[in-house]
Amino acid sequence: QVQLVESGGGLVQPGGSLRLSCAASGWIFSINTMAWYRQAPGKQRELVASITSGGNTNYADSVKGRFTISRDNAKNTVYLQMNSLKVEDTAVYYCHAPAVVGVWGQGTQVTVSS
């Protein structure tokens, strides 16, 4: 069974930090590009960051310089380090492997509020 499980979300103040984790199982994780998406209620899910199997990264302009995506292939896990969080970052965060069609985790809630 292909599975993704996100964790690490929570409530933080503006300027704070969180580290999200996504544990993958059920396929060969190391050969896949992985990505983090986020979605606020009633809004379309948007791409936040991605990382290829070779370690190349891309970021949405809104998070560039604040967020860092990384992966540990030995642990089948992808991370999103979020620093200098803003209220606008509030959303449910999901990880996804584009090559594994239709598989998403339950998401993890990130709320940034003073």
Side-chain angles (χ1 to χ4, degrees):
Q1 182 180 10
V2 176
Q3 188 173 17
L4 296 169
V5 180
E6 301 94 338
S7 62
L11 174 64
V12 297
Q13 292 183 292
S17 297
L18 285 172
R19 190 192 191 205
L20 307 184
S21 299
C22 172
S25 62
W27 84 100
I28 305 173
F29 173 86
S30 62
I31 67 172
N32 282 279
T33 293
M34 297 297 298
W36 284 97
Y37 290 75
R38 65 186 181 187
Q39 186 173 30
K43 297 184 178 179
Q44 190 171 10
R45 194 169 297 182
E46 64 174 343
L47 178 65
V48 176
S50 65
I51 182 167
T52 69
S53 61
N56 292 324
T57 59
N58 284 286
Y59 299 92
D61 288 342
S62 60
V63 307
K64 195 171 298 181
R66 300 188 297 119
F67 291 10
T68 302
I69 187 171
S70 61
R71 66 194 298 162
D72 185 340
N73 290 337
K75 296 181 179 180
N76 288 350
T77 302
V78 61
Y79 304 94
L80 186 68
Q81 178 67 48
M82 305 186 295
N83 298 325
S84 301
L85 282 161
K86 304 176 180 180
V87 172
E88 305 91 270
D89 296 318
T90 297
V92 178
Y93 284 70
Y94 301 87
C95 67
H96 180 60
V100 186
V101 178
V103 178
W104 300 83
Q106 82 287 351
T108 185
Q109 176 72 51
V110 173
T111 302
V112 185
S113 177
S114 60

